[in-house]
Amino acid sequence: MRICFLHKPNDPYILSRARYFVDRGHQVYSIYFESKKLGAHKSIGWCETRSLGKSSTFYSKYLNRFLYPKKIKKFTRDHEIDILHINGMLNSFYLPFSRAKKQVIENQGSDVLRAPDLYPVIKPLYRFFYRFVDAVIQDSKVAQKKGLLLGAPYELNEIIEIGVDFRHFNPDFHRGKARDNLGLSNEAKMVFSSRGMEDLYNLDIVLRAIPIVIESVMEVKFVFACNVSGFMEKYGRLIHELGIKKHLIFTGQIDHTETMPFYCRDADVVISVPSSDSSPASVYEAMACKTPVIISDLPWYQGKFDRDGDMIVVPVRNVDKLADAIIQVLSGRKKVDVDSAYENIIKNINFEIENKKLGQLYKKILQ
């Protein structure tokens, strides 16, 4: 098959999908939104690529988007693309211009769970552009239900997870590499967060929990997978008010496959407490490393995992409950069944199985 992804160039999960199909002999193409950082994108064996936009000027960022349809039309026609896989419903504007044989939309959690409520004007637009898709995928029932309400077709509408790549995320490799990089002893407790800095992810709540945690667990570091400059610009005043700077470590951008697994493995607990979520791959990756996780109480995990068995669940934006959960896990007073969580991930959220399902869907709509 000739498969073309329209995507952000550094989305590690789309890149992993692309690599899967390249490794199986398919001709894989990329239409991507230009970025200054293309490291991981360059590692894929693309047949051909096309960038959309080359700078951050007002013209290229906004007005130039009206030129993108012409590029997409030409690229998909010239390369006789079988499947155009568009990542994110917010990019559905380009669907009518594709000359691929079939179009697939991958609903992103925020695209369907948050954006339509924040910007109601896009609801009728979603309903219109869903008319141009041949299949829809998403990573959870929560996202699927919301997509259907917004006009997604009922037929050829499937839940296909990103899946955990166990070649990278697993409990078998040696502990200590991330701690060595951070200068942390084995005795120090490590709380790790790899989620973004958007308000959605409630990092202010995580920061406010730290003074409570350090009253009970003195030797603890909270490690954030983000750049210190951006973090301090947004949360610097709060950090100063709380007096917690010495308990924070910022790693900068972490390579998803080469480095992130070591941080998941070395952490004593991984926290992910957003206000909205669909099916968080970062949580599953921590589980695959047999590391305890603390999550916020959202619908996505229900029916998949045992509450307070496979993970610890806390109310959304509740500082005291989050702090108590972290203390309980770090002190050993509350145990997470990491073996059960690991087995669940292998059976139900497996990279190989999920992408095999995606390949079967591609073939089905081409028949």
Side-chain angles (χ1 to χ4, degrees):
M1 289 183 288
R2 291 187 176 93
I3 305 164
C4 179
F5 291 94
L6 192 157
H7 62 109
K8 294 179 180 178
N10 294 313
D11 183 329
Y13 301 114
I14 281 293
L15 295 182
S16 68
R17 285 206 194 282
R19 187 176 287 109
Y20 172 89
F21 288 105
V22 169
D23 290 346
R24 280 149 188 81
H26 297 285
Q27 298 177 55
V28 183
Y29 301 78
S30 170
I31 301 174
Y32 63 95
F33 298 100
E34 184 61 276
S35 170
K36 293 180 180 178
K37 298 179 180 179
L38 291 174
H41 184 269
K42 291 180 178 179
S43 69
I44 307 296
W46 307 107
C47 287
E48 191 71 47
T49 66
R50 171 68 67 187
S51 68
L52 302 176
K54 292 186 177 180
S55 72
S56 58
T57 64
F58 178 86
Y59 177 79
S60 65
K61 190 174 182 180
Y62 296 104
L63 301 182
N64 202 33
R65 284 183 176 270
F66 292 100
L67 301 179
Y68 296 168
K70 184 178 180 180
K71 291 184 178 182
I72 292 167
K73 179 180 179 179
K74 185 177 188 305
F75 189 88
T76 53
R77 181 190 62 214
D78 291 352
H79 294 286
E80 299 180 333
I81 299 299
D82 293 315
I83 299 288
L84 177 64
H85 183 130
I86 295 182
N87 191 40
M89 194 57 195
L90 288 174
N91 294 319
S92 61
F93 169 77
Y94 305 113
L95 278 166
F97 305 97
S98 167
R99 293 300 177 264
K101 292 178 182 177
K102 300 293 179 180
Q103 280 78 233
V104 175
I105 274 284
E106 181 166 356
N107 282 336
Q108 297 292 292
S110 294
D111 283 1
V112 292
L113 296 180
R114 299 188 74 241
D117 294 327
L118 291 173
Y119 311 103
V121 68
I122 69 176
K123 291 182 180 181
L125 296 176
Y126 275 19
R127 191 169 297 277
F128 174 76
F129 287 117
Y130 270 129
R131 295 164 53 191
F132 296 91
V133 303
D134 297 286
V136 177
I137 69 168
Q138 51 269 303
D139 57 13
S140 71
K141 289 183 179 179
V142 176
Q144 185 184 50
K145 289 179 180 179
K146 191 63 182 289
L148 291 170
L149 290 174
L150 293 166
Y154 280 81
E155 293 185 4
L156 297 172
N157 188 321
E158 298 190 10
I159 296 171
I160 298 178
E161 299 268 7
I162 295 294
V164 174
D165 190 338
F166 287 92
R167 294 173 299 178
H168 303 294
F169 294 90
N170 62 72
D172 297 330
F173 53 81
H174 182 67
R175 287 181 181 269
K177 186 171 182 178
R179 286 177 175 268
D180 288 344
N181 291 341
L182 298 172
L184 286 181
S185 67
N186 291 330
E187 291 73 29
K189 299 298 184 182
M190 175 178 166
V191 181
F192 182 52
S193 169
S194 64
R195 304 307 294 265
M197 289 191 294
E198 294 89 343
D199 293 344
L200 161 71
Y201 295 113
N202 295 326
L203 294 188
D204 61 321
I205 299 301
V206 176
L207 295 173
R208 292 182 187 279
I210 293 175
I212 303 173
V213 173
I214 60 180
E215 287 182 2
S216 299
V217 186
M218 293 294 293
E219 195 173 358
V220 58
K221 296 291 186 182
F222 285 73
V223 180
F224 297 90
C226 56
N227 293 315
V228 63
S229 58
F231 198 97
M232 292 304 292
E233 182 179 346
K234 184 166 186 175
Y235 296 112
R237 178 177 294 181
L238 178 60
I239 291 168
H240 178 73
E241 291 174 357
L242 297 172
I244 57 173
K245 187 174 181 180
K246 68 178 182 179
H247 293 281
L248 308 180
I249 297 178
F250 305 98
T251 66
Q253 187 174 0
I254 294 178
D255 183 274
H256 182 254
T257 57
E258 298 298 325
T259 308
M260 186 68 76
F262 294 102
Y263 283 82
C264 290
R265 182 68 172 141
D266 277 2
D268 293 287
V269 62
V270 169
I271 54 176
S272 175
V273 288
S275 294
S276 175
D277 228 337
S278 176
S279 188
S282 60
V283 171
Y284 303 148
E285 288 162 352
M287 290 177 165
C289 295
K290 291 192 176 181
T291 298
V293 298
I294 298 173
I295 66 166
S296 45
D297 194 358
L298 297 170
W300 69 263
Y301 77 90
Q302 297 169 11
K304 285 185 175 181
F305 300 99
D306 291 333
R307 179 190 179 105
D308 294 333
D310 293 331
M311 74 270 284
I312 305 299
V313 181
V314 298
V316 176
R317 291 192 63 79
N318 189 308
V319 173
D320 292 334
K321 293 291 186 181
L322 174 59
D324 183 64
I326 294 171
I327 293 168
Q328 294 282 339
V329 173
L330 294 182
S331 66
R333 295 200 295 270
K334 183 171 285 189
K335 297 290 186 181
V336 175
D337 192 342
V338 294
D339 293 322
S340 171
Y342 174 77
E343 292 299 326
N344 199 330
I345 296 294
I346 285 183
K347 292 178 183 177
N348 301 314
I349 312 177
N350 189 304
F351 173 82
E352 295 288 335
I353 295 172
E354 296 303 305
N355 282 290
K356 183 178 180 180
K357 287 162 58 177
L358 180 58
Q360 291 170 342
L361 177 63
Y362 287 164
K363 291 177 181 178
K364 184 175 182 179
I365 64 176
L366 284 170
Q367 289 177 351

